[in-house]
Amino acid sequence: MNNKPVLLVIAHGSRDPRHAATVHALVRRVRATRPDVRVETGFLDFNVPSVQGVLESLAVQGVRDVVALPLLLTRAFHAKADIPAVLADAPPRLRIHQADVLGPSPLLTAALERRLHEAGLTPADRSSTGVVLASAGSTDPEAIAVIADIAREWRHTGWCAVRPAFASAGSPAGFPRTEDAVRELRALGCSRVAVAPYVLAPGFLPDRIARGAADADVLADVLGAAPEVARVVLERYEAARVPLPAAVSA
């Protein structure tokens, strides 16, 4: 009998069908990597099944333990408010452990590198290439700081320069858009400029990143179902499923 908690991957959802398709591809990779773990998918909005619907179905099936994993790269509003609110309404028979968000992680940086290499860059291009780390954007100070830290640390691995950029119009003033960061790297003298989307799946904001990359030399794909992303998902699952201490009898 498999006593491992069910892994419930919680995705944001989108009207863009590419979003759900990419999420499902990632979940398939996670399942293939760990066939001993039951993996389900729920969406916060736009797509089915909903998170609440999956939780109710699991409860009816007699499942007891669930690890709810936010398919998010930073701890912003969805991770801090939306998802806890949905989980609070779960059937009471379920014991739910909320896993941490995926980022930051060295594995995600490795996935960014994978996508840049798949887009045509080679190790020899590294020192002459400036990279725009293009995220969806946020007004959350913690999330913004994480993106800035990733760009700073990534710069130290040999790239000509790395600049963070934000696609969302709601990001604070002074934080560059993708096209602004591309121009900045040109002005710095980088021979080549590449845009690396720090997003998980296609959709409205990733499309805005792509439009902002029009003057770049290289545009990498979204992280999607990269094997490194699947490994981070499983790392977060394992960390969250550590058994809680047994209750002390009165």
Side-chain angles (χ1 to χ4, degrees):
M1 181 178 178
N2 188 347
N3 291 321
K4 295 183 178 67
V6 172
L7 169 56
L8 172 58
V9 173
I10 300 178
H12 182 274
S14 171
R15 292 186 178 89
D16 189 322
R18 297 173 299 167
H19 175 91
T22 302
V23 170
H24 290 311
L26 173 59
V27 169
R28 286 195 297 272
R29 186 179 286 277
V30 172
R31 287 179 179 140
T33 305
R34 285 291 301 275
D36 58 316
V37 175
R38 178 177 174 182
V39 187
E40 300 292 340
T41 309
F43 295 89
L44 290 174
D45 206 353
F46 301 116
N47 302 106
V48 292
S50 68
V51 176
Q52 189 64 30
V54 174
L55 291 171
E56 291 172 358
S57 177
L58 291 174
V60 168
Q61 295 169 40
V63 170
R64 181 68 169 151
D65 292 292
V66 176
V67 169
L69 186 144
L71 201 62
L72 301 167
L73 295 174
T74 58
R75 273 181 45 79
F77 182 79
H78 293 305
K80 294 177 180 179
D82 280 354
I83 291 175
V86 172
L87 297 180
D89 288 334
R93 69 161 284 114
L94 295 176
R95 290 186 301 216
I96 301 177
H97 311 279
Q98 183 174 336
D100 202 359
V101 297
L102 301 184
S105 167
L107 286 169
L108 294 178
T109 305
L112 289 167
E113 300 255 358
R114 171 189 293 275
R115 294 302 188 222
L116 286 171
H117 293 155
E118 290 170 350
L121 290 181
T122 69
D125 298 323
R126 198 177 193 90
S127 63
S128 60
T129 301
V131 179
V132 177
L133 179 68
S135 72
S138 174
T139 57
D140 186 286
E142 180 184 351
I144 293 167
V146 165
I147 298 299
D149 286 344
I150 293 169
R152 187 162 43 248
E153 292 177 10
W154 202 15
R155 164 67 182 87
H156 294 151
T157 63
W159 296 102
C160 174
V162 179
R163 292 290 184 272
F166 301 89
S168 173
S171 295
F175 284 81
R177 298 173 301 170
T178 304
E179 51 268 42
D180 298 328
V182 170
R183 284 193 291 268
E184 181 183 349
L185 291 173
R186 293 274 189 222
L188 282 174
C190 297
S191 300
R192 187 181 296 99
V193 176
V195 174
Y198 190 61
V199 292
L200 285 166
F204 176 75
L205 291 177
D207 282 350
R208 183 179 287 175
I209 289 172
R211 291 193 297 272
D215 292 331
D217 302 291
V218 174
L219 171 62
D221 200 358
V222 298
L223 297 175
E228 295 86 356
V229 179
R231 287 172 59 193
V232 179
V233 168
L234 290 168
E235 281 187 359
R236 299 293 184 256
Y237 167 78
E238 290 295 339
R241 81 180 188 96
V242 174
L244 297 175
V248 178
S249 301

